[in-house]
Amino acid sequence: MEINLRKANAIQQEIRAAMNASREPISISVTEFEAGETAIAKAKAAFMTGSDKYEGLVSALYEIRAKVGAANEACGLNLALTRIAELAELTSHLNKVTSGSGLRLDETILEGKLSKMKEAPREGSGYYGHRDEAVSTGIFDEADVKTAKTRIDGMKREKRDLQDQILALNVENKITLSREAVGVLKEEGII
């Protein structure tokens, strides 16, 4: 059976949900009104049945995962995903420049504040009686911010284009499931 990469992703999520639902307990509580050995045997049989089901789901999941990984590499999808991650890191870094807190004080204002500090009396003039000893300022001017915003806009456009390519690749490229995997998935009602 052939499925596209997009469908393979959805199937993997359904398999994980089925795996979580198929977990049987490994211990039980037995009351005085029950036959202890019978209850244990019944719980163990349920666990073993669930265990076989779980192992089949795991096998199908990792078969799909391996084939999707190979298909992603073959069609270039891994490179597109890597570039998107790179763009996210670069955008995050450049957002520091555009955040506003990195904007520098105007040269005149900076010099005025520094002069005022030099001329201020030494004791008791600042907050809680302590003298101000520094002026805080960002390091980026308006041109730096504008350049960073332009670069971020370009990266956003590139990311959108890559996401469109990824969508197309996920729909166009297919993997083939083994008979065993198809059988497990049909038995579970996933396909």
Side-chain angles (χ1 to χ4, degrees), residues 15 18-19 52-61 63 178-191:
I15 291 172
M19 288 167 57
D52 290 342
K53 176 180 166 181
Y54 188 85
E55 288 177 20
L57 288 168
V58 168
S59 180
L61 175 67
E63 175 186 321
S178 68
R179 286 187 195 129
E180 296 81 14
V182 170
V184 168
L185 297 175
K186 282 185 177 179
E187 187 176 307
E188 290 301 313
I190 295 174
I191 57 171

Side-chain angles (χ1 to χ4, degrees), residues 93 167 182:
H93 176 70
L167 179 60
V182 170

Side-chain angles (χ1 to χ4, degrees), residues 38-191:
T38 303
I40 290 172
K42 186 177 175 183
K44 184 175 182 180
F47 178 84
M48 298 310 286
T49 300
S51 184
D52 290 342
K53 176 180 166 181
Y54 188 85
E55 288 177 20
L57 288 168
V58 168
S59 180
L61 175 67
Y62 284 94
E63 175 186 321
I64 292 170
R65 187 172 174 180
K67 289 180 177 184
V68 165
N72 285 348
E73 182 62 31
C75 72
L77 205 138
N78 284 348
L79 293 174
L81 291 171
T82 300
R83 180 62 180 155
I84 285 175
E86 179 184 8
L87 291 170
E89 288 290 333
L90 292 170
T91 300
S92 174
H93 176 70
L94 287 174
N95 279 332
K96 294 175 189 173
V97 176
T98 63
S99 70
S101 60
L103 196 57
R104 64 164 286 151
L105 290 174
D106 180 82
E107 185 177 348
T108 307
I109 294 172
L110 178 62
E111 292 303 320
K113 286 186 175 202
L114 290 172
S115 293
K116 186 176 178 182
M117 278 177 40
K118 287 177 189 175
E119 296 167 5
R122 288 280 185 217
E123 292 183 22
S125 63
Y127 194 62
Y128 291 120
H130 297 288
R131 182 175 176 269
D132 292 332
E133 296 182 14
V135 174
S136 294
T137 181
I139 59 173
F140 303 111
D141 60 25
E142 292 291 338
D144 296 327
V145 172
K146 184 177 180 182
T147 300
K149 284 181 179 179
T150 301
R151 288 186 63 200
I152 289 170
D153 290 343
M155 288 179 197
K156 286 179 181 177
R157 281 190 298 280
E158 183 179 355
K159 182 180 175 185
R160 266 193 313 271
D161 292 345
L162 287 167
Q163 287 170 328
D164 290 344
Q165 287 176 6
I166 288 170
L167 179 60
L169 289 170
N170 275 326
V171 172
E172 293 168 3
N173 289 284
K174 299 181 186 299
I175 61 170
T176 303
L177 301 179
S178 68
R179 286 187 195 129
E180 296 81 14
V182 170
V184 168
L185 297 175
K186 282 185 177 179
E187 187 176 307
E188 290 301 313
I190 295 174
I191 57 171

Side-chain angles (χ1 to χ4, degrees), residues 22-42:
S22 73
R23 297 180 194 251
E24 296 289 333
I26 59 170
S27 64
I28 60 169
S29 297
V30 182
T31 68
E32 60 191 69
F33 304 106
E34 296 176 277
E37 291 303 316
T38 303
I40 290 172
K42 186 177 175 183

